[in-house]
Amino acid sequence: MKTLWKFIVGAVLVAAPFASAQAGEVLDRIMKNKELVLSSDAEYPPQSFLNENNEMDGFDVDVAKEIAKRFGAKLKIVTPAWEVITAGNWGSRWDVSVGSMTPTKARAKVLRFPAVYYYTPASFAVHKDSSAADVASLSGKKIGVCGGCTYEAYMKQNLVIDAVGTPAFTYQIAAGELRSYETDVNAFDDLRIGDGKRLDAVLSALPTINEAIKNGYPMKLVGQPVFFEPLSVAIDKGDTELGDKIAEIVSAMRADGTLAKLSNKWYGVDYTSAN
């Protein structure tokens, strides 16, 4: 699978900081314009990616489409960098992130997390020629992770996930060298070159690893998942009404089976609970 290019979909992003949303402002604009603007990632299959028709697709995109539908709005997608999304202070450049984001204490200082919509296992992948038999055998090795994400925090042993219902976890290994990448796919690209040539392993979401293997990456899983991430819709600080509405919509999607249906469509398994 070739690495996907980054595209700006539907809007040009401005990098300058903006003030946080005022109470009710974003929700009022969405309802007035009948448009929900989503920040997404074109290089994170099967959660979000550009399909063969050059259209955004994936589990997260489908969840966002359904949320927009229940708002009575159309979905518009932009693709800022992950670090820009997690920095908060969106300034109305987009309204919501349905981007498999883990609600951590650090992120909660600048963002609000109104609804966890699924849980994903975090697993290690190695080159298919690797002799690694378990997670412990990766200690002291060169490990690749996406920069600024929970996998990097886990490897630095400072990951804090305080969402209700999150299974407890322990730090099982220490990297000899930790290498950070812009995306998980970039790390996979280095791993595919050969066992131990640039990387010995990558820590990523299990569905993302499985999708890469499905698309021809010469990788395999090692051991069991090391932690489970609750993944939440995120909005900018300040608009309580928007958060309450999203929480109501996602709760209804869970109750009527929509979330489970979408999870099974993309992953072949229901990841909408930590069980």
Side-chain angles (χ1 to χ4, degrees):
M1 180 180 69
K2 295 179 180 179
T3 303
L4 296 172
W5 296 307
K6 285 191 175 296
F7 284 79
I8 300 298
V9 182
V12 176
L13 299 178
V14 180
F18 293 81
S20 296
Q22 298 300 310
E25 175 188 333
V26 180
L27 179 59
D28 288 347
R29 186 181 67 251
I30 292 168
M31 302 310 293
K32 177 182 178 181
N33 297 337
K34 301 299 180 184
E35 180 179 79
L36 179 69
V37 183
L38 169 74
S39 60
S40 189
D41 187 343
E43 296 188 25
Y44 193 41
Q47 287 76 234
S48 54
F49 61 97
L50 282 168
N51 63 23
E52 59 186 12
N53 296 318
N54 205 34
E55 298 171 340
M56 289 294 290
D57 207 350
F59 173 68
D60 284 345
V61 175
D62 275 358
V63 171
K65 286 179 178 177
E66 183 65 26
I67 291 174
K69 177 182 176 182
R70 298 189 188 208
F71 265 110
K74 64 180 180 180
L75 186 69
K76 178 179 179 180
I77 303 176
V78 298
T79 57
W82 180 249
E83 292 81 2
V84 177
I85 298 172
T86 55
N89 295 315
W90 296 346
S92 300
R93 290 170 289 173
W94 53 87
D95 306 319
V96 63
S97 167
V98 185
S100 298
M101 189 184 300
T102 304
T104 64
K105 284 184 177 179
R107 289 171 179 167
K109 293 177 181 178
V110 293
L111 298 172
R112 183 182 174 194
F113 299 99
V116 170
Y117 60 106
Y118 80 117
Y119 297 78
T120 190
S123 298
F124 282 99
V126 297
H127 192 274
K128 66 178 182 62
D129 295 334
S130 173
S131 61
D134 51 30
V135 171
S137 64
L138 298 176
S139 197
K141 302 292 187 179
K142 293 176 291 188
I143 310 295
V145 293
C146 51
C149 67
T150 50
Y151 312 121
E152 183 178 52
Y154 178 87
M155 290 307 304
K156 291 181 176 180
Q157 300 193 3
N158 60 10
L159 175 62
V160 178
I161 304 175
D162 53 359
V164 175
T166 303
F169 61 88
T170 59
Y171 298 111
Q172 298 185 30
I173 68 167
E177 181 181 347
L178 185 63
R179 296 185 178 180
S180 298
Y181 294 81
E182 185 175 0
T183 71
D184 301 64
V185 174
N186 296 139
F188 295 157
D189 285 338
D190 267 5
L191 183 60
R192 76 187 303 176
I193 292 172
D195 179 34
K197 293 188 179 299
R198 292 186 180 173
L199 290 174
D200 296 297
V202 173
L203 178 60
S204 181
L206 178 58
T208 307
I209 294 170
N210 284 335
E211 183 71 9
I213 293 172
K214 175 184 173 182
N215 284 284
Y217 277 77
M219 306 189 309
K220 62 183 179 181
L221 292 162
V222 172
Q224 297 299 311
V226 291
F227 67 94
F228 284 78
E229 294 182 271
L231 300 170
S232 179
V233 177
I235 61 172
D236 214 355
K237 283 278 194 179
D239 200 322
T240 302
E241 289 85 350
L242 175 62
D244 291 346
K245 182 64 175 177
I246 289 174
E248 175 188 323
I249 288 173
V250 173
S251 178
M253 290 170 62
R254 188 182 302 280
D256 66 22
T258 300
L259 283 179
K261 181 179 179 180
L262 292 176
S263 179
N264 277 293
K265 170 187 173 181
W266 287 101
Y267 303 131
V269 65
D270 183 5
Y271 281 135
T272 60
S273 76
N275 297 319

